[in-house]
């Protein structure tokens, strides 16, 4: 996995712009896949200039790796919370809760599955 260090925005407007880029990338990577999505596609969907993406991300691969890392963290933390709340005792019960939690997340965020699978 590549270095997923990104430039952190310094203003609210910068955070909003970065979030628009991430949402556009998530949708396009989820629908079209990594290889069929260009920086220009993401910029158009996010309604920013293509060069704006490079303010926050080194390249398309870094943007993709950032999304995958964020999803990995989100999935693991949601599963850990669900297992803790369930009070299950056996490994089998924990795995069952984990799978159910993951499926629920995929239902709420369908592009996550495609992005994680392709990675």
């Amino acid at each position: 996995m590549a270095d997923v260090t990104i430039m952190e925005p310094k203003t609210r407007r910068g955070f909003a712009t970065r979030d628009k880029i991430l949402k556009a990338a998530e949708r396009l990577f989820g629908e079209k896949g990594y290889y069929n999505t260009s920086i220009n596609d993401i910029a158009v969907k996010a309604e920013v200039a293509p060069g704006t993406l490079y303010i926050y991300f080194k390249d398309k691969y870094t943007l993709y790796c950032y999304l995958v890392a964020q999803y990995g963290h989100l999935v693991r933390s949601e599963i850990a919370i669900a297992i803790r709340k369930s009070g299950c005792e056996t490994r089998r019960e924990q795995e069952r809760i984990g799978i159910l939690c993951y499926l629920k997340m995929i239902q709420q965020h369908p592009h996550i599955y495609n992005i994680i699978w392709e990675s």
Side-chain angles (χ1 to χ4, degrees):
M1 182 80 56
D3 176 22
V4 291
T5 305
I6 65 166
M7 294 296 296
E8 282 297 321
K10 294 176 178 39
T11 64
R12 268 188 239 188
R13 185 173 171 204
F15 278 102
T17 300
R18 187 190 66 181
D19 288 346
K20 282 175 35 178
I21 292 167
L22 289 169
K23 285 179 183 164
E26 175 185 344
R27 182 164 190 138
L28 290 169
F29 289 147
E31 291 173 357
K32 296 170 58 173
Y34 174 80
Y35 292 104
N36 294 322
T37 301
S38 70
I39 286 288
N40 200 43
D41 293 336
I42 297 167
V44 168
K45 187 79 169 169
E47 299 177 340
V48 300
T52 303
L53 276 77
Y54 296 105
I55 294 172
Y56 304 100
F57 303 95
K58 179 180 166 190
D59 51 24
K60 180 175 86 165
Y61 185 68
T62 304
L63 170 56
Y64 187 77
C65 289
Y66 180 81
L67 282 174
V68 171
Q70 294 302 306
Y71 295 152
H73 175 73
L74 176 65
V75 168
R76 285 189 305 274
S77 66
E78 290 293 320
I79 288 173
I81 290 167
I83 289 171
R84 237 185 340 262
K85 284 182 179 179
S86 73
C88 52
E89 297 177 11
T90 68
R91 174 70 182 204
R92 183 180 174 131
E93 290 172 337
Q94 291 174 351
E95 289 176 2
R96 182 179 170 283
I97 295 294
I99 290 169
L100 290 173
C101 181
Y102 178 70
L103 292 173
K104 183 178 176 183
M105 289 182 70
I106 296 305
Q107 188 176 31
Q108 294 170 351
H109 307 281
H111 299 301
I112 290 176
Y113 176 79
N114 291 338
I115 292 169
I116 291 173
W117 182 83
E118 188 176 28
S119 70

